[in-house]
Amino acid sequence: MPKKKVVVLLPTYNEKNNVEKAANAVLAQEKNLPGWEIEVLISDSKSPDGTGEVAAQLAKKNPKIHYLSTGRGLGVGLIEGHTYAVKNLHPDILAQMDADGQVGWDVLPRLVKAIEEGYNLALGSRFVSGGANKLSPMRRLFSAGSSWVSRILIGPFDVKEVTNSARAFTPELFKKINLERLPWKEQTFIVQPAFLHEAVIAGAKYKEVPLVFGDRAEGYSKNKVLNYTYDVITYAVDARLHAWGINIPFFKVTRKAKTLIKFSLVGLLGTFVDFFFYKLFIGSFNIPPATSKGMSAELAIMNNFFFNNFWTFRSRKTNTNTWQRLGMFNLFSLGGLVMGVLIVKFLHTLYGDGFATVGNFKVAYNNFYFFATIPPVLVWNFTINHFITWKKQKD
Ligand SMILES: Nc1nc2c(ncn2[C@@H]2O[C@H](COP(=O)(O)OP(=O)(O)O)[C@@H](O)[C@H]2O)c(=O)[nH]1
Ligand SMILES: [Mg+2]
């Protein structure tokens, strides 16, 4: 009887010191899989450390190893890799594992056996009986946390680990997955829970098998905790809306609008700072509203610069240094400040110091004056700082 074939995809980015060991470790699992032959496909996203060249050499020497050069991003490495395997390598099963050796290689025969049992999707899991997570307490907390959040928000809830890469599935299932909806071109690890989500929609019959997860021997993690958390939440909202029949590309739009959203969040925080001091100056120091606004706004500007520089625009390469940017930010915020003061002045002149009754509360007009300044000032600040203060360096 001819042997069946499993193609194991190893996506790599800067794994020069891991890739050869990984390919050999995968091939060595053949002895635990009677009736099966294993081939390895390395999909490298043009790693600057030269992983691609190493992989190309391995592929030249060993006909069981294949190499594919792909675009940047884990999702691209995975989806282009599997698509290539389906087209060119005639697999009975598609499998994937991380190339850094963090996952015990013996999960592979368990994944394949689950497919032989009749499931069309097998999922490696640290959190089922027999599995283990041998990371530092901090990273353990993060993986447990991200798995819980993804399980609850994205699902399916009966899967204990929805984020792990070690997986096997049938080419038939892969072909049914809606790649239009899967955000595989985005540079984020969201592709793992999202792939599972789309696979379930495509009719996956899934089973979890245990795996042991340890520390990296070489290299560094490419996962970005804050970005990933943001993606999990926005993707979950997208998936929920989709399940309710509301088809808007929420995830894609929020990713595109990410800078604006961060800038707005910083602005929101700044607004609290601003409002807090505004009320303090009026209430405790009897300073008139317009003057109070001027002083509270300057405090908020300092706050906002700090967060925009070290968070919103952190990864943007500019031609300026931090001090120059601080200067520009202050200058442009002055524009926003003048705008805010004029709006408050205008409204104050128009309506005076009255009170409005909202339900059972009496609310002073000066509160409304304050909030009326937010939308126009936000638009001004974002536009000018996006295009000038943190202007992208030309390559
Ligand atoms: N092809 C490709 N692989 C990637 C990319 N980013 C990460 N990987 C691979 O995905 C696997 C998991 O990444 P890793 O950084 O170990 O994430 P962690 O295990 O969650 O810390 C490793 O084999 C990485 O080399 C990418 O942009 N392209
Ligand atoms: Mg890893």
Side-chain angles (χ1 to χ4, degrees):
M1 211 175 74
K3 285 191 171 182
K4 288 192 182 175
K5 188 199 285 184
V6 49
V7 173
V8 181
L9 177 63
L10 299 174
T12 57
Y13 190 74
N14 286 349
E15 304 286 1
K16 192 179 181 188
N17 296 323
N18 290 322
V19 66
E20 179 167 11
K21 222 186 281 169
N24 290 332
V26 167
L27 293 177
Q29 286 299 322
E30 222 172 59
K31 64 176 188 302
N32 299 324
L33 276 173
W36 287 86
E37 64 173 326
I38 300 178
E39 287 186 18
V40 169
L41 172 61
I42 300 162
S43 69
D44 183 71
S45 296
K46 303 183 180 65
S47 301
D49 77 345
T51 307
E53 285 81 70
V54 178
Q57 281 302 316
L58 293 172
K60 230 187 230 165
K61 281 187 287 182
N62 188 340
K64 283 173 158 290
I65 300 177
H66 309 273
Y67 162 64
L68 179 69
S69 173
T70 68
R72 182 77 174 92
L74 177 59
V76 175
L78 288 173
I79 299 305
E80 286 188 357
H82 290 307
T83 306
Y84 176 90
V86 168
K87 254 198 205 137
N88 304 291
L89 305 176
H90 316 290
D92 296 285
I93 294 181
L94 297 163
Q96 61 183 45
M97 288 187 74
D98 289 350
D100 56 6
Q102 278 189 281
V103 170
W105 302 108
D106 61 343
V107 71
L108 187 64
R110 287 195 286 277
L111 291 170
V112 171
K113 275 168 197 157
I115 304 290
E116 278 190 310
E117 283 169 30
Y119 296 94
N120 57 9
L121 174 62
L123 306 161
S125 174
R126 288 172 269 190
F127 307 132
V128 293
S129 157
N133 195 8
K134 294 185 173 166
L135 296 173
S136 65
M138 222 20 237
R139 285 222 42 194
R140 257 202 334 256
L141 196 71
F142 174 60
S143 36
S146 65
S147 212
W148 267 102
V149 171
S150 307
R151 270 176 80 185
I152 294 169
L153 295 179
I154 305 170
F157 192 71
D158 60 350
V159 172
K160 294 233 165 50
E161 169 149 36
V162 302
T163 52
N164 205 282
S165 185
R167 290 173 179 174
F169 39 88
T170 60
E172 291 70 36
L173 178 65
F174 180 68
K175 284 180 208 156
K176 275 194 224 142
I177 286 174
N178 184 347
L179 294 180
E180 289 292 314
R181 273 202 56 84
L182 184 73
W184 61 279
K185 286 178 185 162
E186 307 284 339
Q187 271 188 44
T188 155
F189 281 29
I190 196 71
V191 65
Q192 307 287 25
F195 184 92
L196 174 58
H197 175 73
E198 285 299 329
V200 171
I201 293 174
K205 266 186 72 199
Y206 51 82
K207 182 192 182 180
E208 281 185 280
V209 301
L211 66 74
V212 177
F213 200 85
D215 273 322
R216 260 176 177 275
E218 294 273 355
Y220 64 97
S221 171
K222 285 97 200 171
N223 199 0
K224 310 241 173 7
V225 177
L226 271 183
N227 277 311
Y228 188 57
T229 309
Y230 175 93
D231 289 342
V232 165
I233 293 166
T234 52
Y235 181 78
V237 172
D238 190 300
R240 274 296 105 226
L241 291 175
H242 181 59
W244 293 329
I246 306 167
N247 276 310
I248 52 168
F250 183 79
F251 179 76
K252 279 198 177 132
V253 171
T254 48
R255 262 189 81 81
K256 280 240 165 63
K258 207 167 182 178
T259 319
L260 175 60
I261 288 168
K262 284 183 175 176
F263 194 88
S264 306
L265 285 176
V266 170
L268 186 68
L269 176 68
T271 302
F272 285 120
V273 173
D274 194 354
F275 191 58
F276 174 79
F277 286 103
Y278 175 73
K279 293 302 282 184
L280 189 78
F281 295 144
I282 295 177
S284 310
F285 298 91
N286 262 322
I287 301 172
T291 316
S292 294
K293 170 70 191 163
M295 301 198 314
S296 62
E298 183 55 37
L299 290 169
I301 287 168
M302 302 304 284
N303 171 80
N304 291 5
F305 177 78
F306 182 84
F307 282 101
N308 281 325
N309 197 58
F310 296 106
W311 184 49
T312 315
F313 295 108
R314 187 189 51 191
S315 50
R316 198 173 279 190
K317 301 250 181 318
T318 63
N319 284 320
T320 48
N321 66 35
T322 309
W323 296 108
Q324 290 169 316
R325 285 196 296 276
L326 178 65
M328 281 191 269
F329 189 74
N330 249 285
L331 192 71
F332 297 138
S333 300
L334 214 63
L337 175 63
V338 169
M339 224 161 123
V341 172
L342 288 179
I343 291 169
V344 172
K345 185 79 191 158
F346 175 72
L347 294 172
H348 189 218
T349 313
L350 210 59
Y351 300 105
D353 286 315
F355 285 87
T357 340
V358 181
N360 293 326
F361 296 96
K362 280 179 82 183
V363 184
Y365 280 179
N366 67 50
N367 295 289
F368 299 113
Y369 303 163
F370 183 92
F371 287 102
T373 64
I374 295 172
V377 173
L378 174 67
V379 170
W380 156 265
N381 277 343
F382 181 74
T383 311
I384 198 116
N385 286 301
H386 171 75
F387 286 112
I388 300 181
T389 313
W390 284 279
K391 182 183 186 325
K392 254 185 222 150
Q393 197 176 53
K394 290 219 176 71
D395 307 299

